[in-house]
Amino acid sequence: MKILIADDDELSLMLMETTLKRIGYDVVAAVNGRDAMDRLLEIDGPRLALLDWMMPEMDGPVVCQNIRALSHRPYIYVTLLTSKDSKADLVEGLDAGADDYLTKPCDPEELKARLRTGQRIPQLEDQLVTAREEMRFKATHDPLTTLWNRGKILESLDQTLQIGHPSAVLLCDVDYFKGINDTHGHLAGDAVLREIAHRLRRAVRQDDAIGRYGGEEFLVLLTGCDERSLLERAEQLRAKVADTGFNIEGDSISVTVSIGAIFASGDEPRQSSEAILRRADEALYLAKQNGRNRVVTTSAHMV
Ligand code: GH3
Ligand code: MG
Ligand code: MG
């Protein structure tokens, strides 16, 4: 773990650096308070800091105050190094935001033990951040395909319609998917859904969005897609799925999707996502009726 040591006294700095390296820390040295601040605020900067109390330019407690005043940053566990040992001084140091203090000269065993304790705080914070990220991911993603889940893709559709940018809405449904499950088993069916998700994701652009709308239905939003490119773009997606066999337990099986494609121009009176989805569903129904593995598009002017 990285640790910052800040001391204006060269000899103390060197001795402490040697001790910390011996304990196994990755040491970042600073020669004054301002230097310490700069190093602590670097991206991936140290999360443990040992600050000498008295330093030119900015003393240890002021560095603490400045760090604590910054919100939305990873926590830095700060220990002040001091030759002061009056209670009033220590309270002042802790009030400035320090987590702990050590009186100089430090006993190496005590230093080691205190830092081990301090380390738990950034570690705990990292665990919490990871857990929060996982929860956020789960709340917005489909676990099987890792695409956006239904709630999130519908939210994106609402937002896109609100903004009023021209865009395309594609409702894709796997053809005869029940047959794939029946013939190859449910797990093979799951693998097919994952592979379709992978192919669709590769076929769209950075700003586009794809979600799992239902069991074997995917909703794709092509932002900024104009009406002339609607059919071409939807065809690309269809072909990405249909053109190469799916490798299922060593067999290559053919999988296709039918797509109902709707163009939302953005300049017509704002349409509700329900209305757009209803039209996409109608177009999808026609694609199924007309033989599957095809795209049917309807624009606002065509219905
Ligand atoms: P069509 O060409 O008309 O769309 O026929 P289909 O067989 O694809 O449609 P149908 O709606 O009859 O069947 C969809 C099947 O998808 C039924 C359901 O068991 C299956 N399914 C839904 N979600 C999942 C899933 O997460 N994994 C697997 N393996 N199957 C699923
Ligand atoms: Mg379906
Ligand atoms: Mg289907």
Side-chain angles (χ1 to χ4, degrees), residues 172-175 177 214-218 281 284 288:
C172 315
D173 184 292
V174 187
D175 297 326
F177 188 61
E216 29 86 77
E217 289 175 9
F218 300 89
D281 208 29
L284 172 62
K288 293 279 182 189

Side-chain angles (χ1 to χ4, degrees), residues 112-124:
K112 210 165 142 181
R114 297 275 193 118
L115 291 178
R116 213 165 39 231
T117 309
Q119 221 165 285
R120 288 189 205 131
I121 303 256
Q123 280 167 350
L124 212 61

Side-chain angles (χ1 to χ4, degrees), residues 171-227:
L171 188 56
C172 315
D173 184 292
V174 187
D175 297 326
Y176 303 117
F177 188 61
K178 196 174 169 308
I180 296 175
N181 273 339
D182 292 347
T183 312
H184 302 277
H186 202 268
L187 287 180
D190 284 355
V192 166
L193 292 177
R194 272 197 297 269
E195 176 62 19
I196 291 176
H198 177 67
R199 291 185 188 195
L200 292 179
R201 198 185 260 138
R202 280 187 23 196
V204 300
R205 299 174 184 167
Q206 188 79 34
D207 293 341
D208 299 335
I210 313 179
R212 186 158 174 220
Y213 182 64
E216 29 86 77
E217 289 175 9
F218 300 89
L219 191 64
V220 182
L221 309 178
L222 304 176
T223 36
C225 175
D226 62 35
E227 195 167 12

Side-chain angles (χ1 to χ4, degrees), residues 79-105:
T79 303
L80 286 174
L81 293 172
T82 174
S83 39
K84 302 177 174 218
D85 53 7
S86 89
K87 286 278 183 261
D89 287 333
L90 298 177
V91 168
E92 184 198 326
L94 294 173
D95 277 350
D99 297 284
D100 196 7
Y101 64 88
L102 279 168
T103 316
K104 292 204 276 193

